[in-house]
Amino acid sequence: DGGITQSPKYLFRKEGQNVTLSCEQNLNHDAMYWYRQDPGQGLRLIYYSQIVNDFQKGDIAEGYSVSREKKESFPLTVTSAQKNPTAFYLCASSMYGDSRGYTFGSGTRLTVV
Amino acid sequence: SQKIEQNSEALNIQEGKTATLTCNYTNYSPAYLQWYRQDPGRGPVFLLLIRENEKEKRKERLKVTFDTTLKQSLFHITASQPADSATYLCALQGGGNKLTFGTGTQLKVEL
């Protein structure tokens, strides 16, 4: 079955550490996205990529970094510069111009301890 | 600045009734508007997309309307069931493929 896989489901980080969240899709989608969700707030766009080896900042990119070396993969690194990293992180993919919307992963819940 | 508003208060309805959720937006000219369902601890699931030149779209028990003059979309679930209980997110798509999401409205369908 085609889908989008995020790992790990839960992640604990000590202050000052960088952590990388994995996102892999086998839907042959061109575009991939990272969103952050906090309680009572909507999804906020961190980074997105429309093609391999290219990505753009979203609304809240500070303290995060990404890479898109393969079409299937779009890992997100939460750096120590991110002041409030505890959140639910969601990865999504889509085919450009497709009317079937985004396909989301099941999310990674990151907690700073 | 661009703003998408969904009712933050939970909507409680009885099984069998029609649920109507509202999405209002300002300072935005979306080409598409999408609705998603999100269950606790899970990623959103795409439900429907409606284009700016479409007034209404239906899918099974779901109906979406899109009024670009009022800058509003209404999302209806007819013959609602307890399994429809979830948070429903409205999302706007302007230039490119980026989506901007509202905060969502929680729907609770009671027996």
Side-chain angles (χ1 to χ4, degrees):
Chain A
D1 285 341
I4 183 165
T5 302
Q6 289 187 244
S7 61
K9 190 170 179 63
Y10 299 96
L11 187 57
F12 297 90
R13 186 194 97 170
K14 293 183 179 179
E15 286 194 25
Q17 283 183 337
N18 293 353
V19 290
T20 298
L21 283 58
S22 171
C23 179
E24 304 274 335
Q25 55 100 359
N26 61 3
L27 299 164
N28 199 33
H29 283 172
D30 298 312
M32 297 186 74
Y33 315 83
W34 275 104
Y35 285 88
R36 167 182 173 142
Q37 188 173 35
D38 295 281
Q41 295 196 40
L43 280 67
R44 292 184 289 167
L45 183 63
I46 305 172
Y47 268 98
Y48 64 103
S49 168
Q50 294 182 323
I51 57 173
V52 175
N53 293 322
D54 188 42
F55 48 83
Q56 287 77 41
K57 293 182 179 180
D59 302 317
I60 55 165
E62 185 175 352
Y64 300 97
S65 67
V66 293
S67 62
R68 185 87 187 276
E69 297 176 1
K70 297 187 300 182
K71 188 174 185 178
E72 302 79 18
S73 178
F74 191 41
L76 173 74
T77 297
V78 185
T79 75
S80 57
Q82 169 50 236
K83 299 304 179 190
N84 186 21
T86 295
F88 188 47
Y89 290 87
L90 287 159
C91 179
S93 67
S94 73
M95 188 68 79
Y96 195 86
D98 197 323
S99 62
R100 287 172 287 183
Y102 284 15
T103 301
F104 279 88
S106 55
T108 293
R109 189 166 298 279
L110 173 63
T111 304
V112 174
V113 297
Chain B
S1 62
Q2 296 171 347
K3 198 171 182 182
I4 303 170
E5 291 184 337
Q6 295 185 256
N7 196 340
S8 59
E9 291 184 16
L11 176 63
N12 297 322
I13 64 167
Q14 275 193 318
E15 184 179 18
K17 302 291 185 184
T18 296
T20 299
L21 285 67
T22 304
C23 174
N24 294 299
Y25 60 92
T26 56
N27 297 324
Y28 214 116
S29 297
Y32 305 97
L33 188 146
Q34 302 184 21
W35 284 89
Y36 288 77
R37 169 186 173 138
Q38 187 175 25
D39 292 286
R42 306 292 297 272
V45 174
F46 171 72
L47 296 174
L48 280 169
L49 176 151
I50 187 165
R51 294 176 172 79
E52 60 178 336
N53 60 352
E54 297 177 317
K55 298 292 185 187
E56 182 179 299
K57 187 75 83 67
R58 292 175 184 261
K59 179 182 176 183
E60 297 173 355
R61 294 185 296 114
L62 308 180
K63 185 178 86 171
V64 171
T65 63
F66 191 13
D67 189 326
T68 55
T69 301
L70 291 178
K71 296 187 183 298
Q72 181 182 79
S73 175
L74 299 179
F75 177 79
H76 307 272
I77 304 176
T78 58
S80 59
Q81 306 164 0
D84 295 326
S85 298
T87 295
Y88 290 86
L89 305 171
C90 163
L92 303 184
Q93 181 177 355
N97 225 28
K98 290 190 304 176
L99 283 183
T100 301
F101 284 83
T103 54
T105 298
Q106 186 178 12
L107 172 66
K108 296 180 182 177
V109 181
E110 300 163 339
L111 293 170

